[in-house]
Amino acid sequence: MKALILLFAVFVVFVMPTTLVWLLGRRARVPHWMLIVFLLAGWLTVAVGLALSQRAQPSLFPETSPCYGTRSTPVSQYFPPDSFCRHADGELRTVNGANARLVFWTAANTTLAMAIAAAFARRRQRV
């Protein structure tokens, strides 16, 4: 029964939105390569954003949380995604490096660029 629920959740969370974006893009006559790049960059943005915002939270494995050994409070920020440890002196220190944030912003900007490029491609097809 658990496998069936998990399969349904994967279908609702990943397959349905991806299929909807694909079908709407094809109906609008957006090129295939733009749709593929848009979907891949979009899902990468979601995955990296989730990982960045939840990295300091000790929900599943408290010993692996970067805040565990420092006796500090984990703090999450959802946009832009980042995790912090609030130390005893009140200072927030990020647990994510610059490279991880670069991956997020690159994927987010690629997603946005593909949406803008699709609009220009559609307009060009009309003329």
Side-chain angles (χ1 to χ4, degrees):
M1 187 66 179
K2 287 182 184 179
L4 188 60
I5 292 171
L6 182 65
L7 185 63
F8 181 71
V10 167
F11 179 76
V12 168
V13 172
F14 295 110
V15 176
M16 283 182 61
T18 302
T19 305
L20 182 65
V21 167
W22 184 265
L23 291 175
L24 289 173
R26 292 309 312 143
R27 186 172 185 188
R29 294 190 179 106
V30 175
H32 286 288
W33 70 271
M34 280 188 188
L35 285 172
I36 291 169
V37 171
F38 178 80
L39 287 169
L40 290 175
W43 283 118
L44 181 64
T45 302
V46 170
V48 172
L50 182 67
L52 286 176
S53 66
Q54 297 300 311
R55 184 151 180 251
Q57 298 298 326
S59 57
L60 288 177
F61 305 106
E63 295 83 19
T64 62
S65 171
C67 299
Y68 179 73
T70 61
R71 305 261 190 259
S72 55
T73 308
V75 178
S76 291
Q77 170 179 308
Y78 295 104
F79 193 81
D82 208 351
S83 290
F84 303 95
C85 293
R86 184 179 303 279
H87 292 268
D89 60 357
E91 181 184 2
L92 283 176
R93 296 185 191 130
T94 185
V95 297
N96 296 313
N99 289 342
R101 288 185 294 222
L102 177 67
V103 169
F104 170 79
W105 285 112
T106 302
N109 287 328
T110 302
T111 306
L112 180 64
M114 284 299 110
I116 293 169
F120 279 117
R122 239 190 113 197
R123 185 174 179 172
R124 189 172 171 198
Q125 287 175 355
R126 286 179 157 174
V127 174

